[in-house]
Amino acid sequence: KQEVTQIPAALSVPEGENLVLNCSFTDSAIYNLQWFRQDPGKGLTSLLLIQSSQREQTSGRLNASLDKSSGRSTLYIAASQPGDSATYLCAVPNAGGTSYGKLTFGQGTILTVHP
Amino acid sequence: DTEVTQTPKHLVMGMTNKKSLKCEQHMGHRAMYWYKQKAKKPPELMFVYSYEKLSINESVPSRFSPECPNSSLLNLHLHALQPEDSALYLCASSQEPAYGELFFGEGSRLTVL
């Protein structure tokens, strides 16, 4: 059974810092990995989808890397801003079985960027 | 346009009421999902529709009844709910049923009195 862990659970940084959020998964047979952002009381916003054949994916100040063999992904946020404050979730789809394609989510990292 | 629209945004209902949540997407996606999210927890999958057919039901109680009238619409019918069913209900869609990028709506906040 796939398990996804995110470290740290919470992170508070001053504006302007570069930061790294970590996501690890137990079953390396993944098709892709998706990073989401969630503001309080809102839906999830897709940030980046990184395919299993890719090592990195970039969007603006965000960069996601994937190391399938070690079961890890990192989300790098450059020059953080107060508007980046949110919960960040990573998720991988189950491979095979009756719930194939079902996303397994990590518990999330709560990020606070203070001015 | 990567938009999934959910209505209503907020819903308060008694345990004997019948209500529905609605979800719409116009991205031509072939899979649509209902998730339930409690405070400070990740979303939990409830149902998946693939090509307008129910493909996954995560052992959800029958008081929740999904419906997919067409490829753009997804409903969740609610009846005889319990206070513990209060949560944020999220709809999502993806191009591919199993491994596509998921796009979520803003959610419907449900309170059961």
Side-chain angles (χ1 to χ4, degrees):
Chain A
K1 177 188 170 191
Q2 179 75 272
E3 293 181 6
V4 179
T5 303
Q6 290 187 246
I7 294 173
L11 184 61
S12 181
V13 299
E15 182 176 5
E17 276 205 4
N18 301 325
L19 51 96
V20 174
L21 308 182
N22 297 291
C23 172
S24 62
F25 43 93
T26 55
D27 185 350
S28 62
I30 63 168
Y31 283 83
N32 58 48
L33 183 145
Q34 196 166 357
W35 282 95
F36 297 92
R37 156 189 183 136
Q38 186 173 30
D39 294 300
K42 301 290 188 180
L44 278 67
T45 300
S46 178
L47 297 173
L48 290 164
L49 175 78
I50 183 164
Q51 301 290 352
S52 61
S53 58
Q54 296 177 306
R55 298 282 296 187
E56 282 189 5
Q57 189 71 268
T58 298
S59 175
R61 294 183 294 110
L62 305 180
N63 176 278
S65 68
L66 177 63
D67 184 342
K68 267 185 60 174
S69 59
S70 65
R72 287 185 296 189
S73 176
T74 60
L75 180 67
Y76 176 83
I77 303 177
S80 58
Q81 302 170 0
D84 295 328
S85 298
T87 297
Y88 290 80
L89 294 148
C90 66
V92 293
N94 291 4
T98 56
S99 291
Y100 104 110
K102 168 186 173 182
L103 285 185
T104 299
F105 283 89
Q107 292 295 310
T109 293
I110 301 171
L111 173 65
T112 304
V113 181
H114 46 89
Chain B
D1 181 13
T2 55
E3 189 170 284
V4 177
T5 304
Q6 290 188 242
T7 56
K9 293 193 185 321
H10 300 276
L11 178 64
V12 179
M13 59 186 292
M15 289 190 284
T16 58
N17 291 158
K18 285 185 181 181
K19 296 286 185 182
S20 297
L21 305 180
K22 298 184 184 303
C23 175
E24 190 168 5
Q25 58 89 12
H26 293 289
M27 296 178 278
H29 288 177
R30 306 310 299 185
M32 297 186 76
Y33 311 75
W34 280 116
Y35 281 82
K36 173 183 177 179
Q37 187 177 29
K38 302 285 269 185
K40 302 189 186 303
K41 296 289 187 182
E44 297 176 4
L45 183 66
M46 300 175 71
F47 302 103
V48 181
Y49 272 84
S50 175
Y51 293 90
E52 301 171 44
K53 294 191 186 308
L54 184 64
S55 60
I56 295 178
N57 177 341
E58 289 288 292
S59 301
V60 178
S62 60
R63 57 186 184 268
F64 295 92
S65 175
E67 178 195 20
C68 189
N70 60 55
S71 60
S72 300
L73 293 174
L74 186 65
N75 298 321
L76 186 63
H77 302 298
L78 315 170
H79 175 55
L81 295 191
Q82 304 297 311
E84 58 266 29
D85 296 321
S86 298
L88 182 66
Y89 288 83
L90 295 163
C91 175
S93 70
S94 66
Q95 179 64 39
E96 298 295 330
Y99 304 114
E101 183 175 5
L102 243 64
F103 295 92
F104 283 83
E106 286 293 300
S108 293
R109 171 71 61 188
L110 173 67
T111 303
V112 182
L113 302 176

